[in-house]
Amino acid sequence: MSLVPRLAPLPPEHEVVRVPLTGTPVPSRRIVTCVRRGASVQPPIARVLAALQRAKAERVPSG
């Protein structure tokens, strides 16, 4: 058994079953990004930052 973050890609040939954790407290993690001033407009960096924002929006209840 292992804890694998939802953001971690799993190759289709691996026979892994993800089972969501339940209970209190709910497992969480903090992800922090740091980029040089102006670098966030570079396409590869912008894509990563946008993907992290989408993942956050999917996981964090609004309100």
Side-chain angles (χ1 to χ4, degrees):
M1 177 173 34
S2 177
L3 295 176
V4 178
R6 184 169 167 238
L7 292 174
L10 295 175
E13 65 273 10
H14 291 183
E15 295 184 19
V16 175
V17 176
R18 286 187 169 159
V19 178
L21 297 177
T22 59
T24 305
V26 175
S28 65
R29 69 180 162 270
R30 180 183 295 210
I31 298 175
V32 179
T33 61
C34 182
V35 297
R36 286 186 295 190
R37 188 175 306 130
S40 62
V41 297
Q42 297 297 318
I45 295 172
R47 285 192 297 269
V48 168
L49 295 175
L52 289 170
Q53 286 292 336
R54 285 192 304 273
K56 176 185 173 187
E58 291 172 5
R59 299 296 291 171
V60 177
S62 58

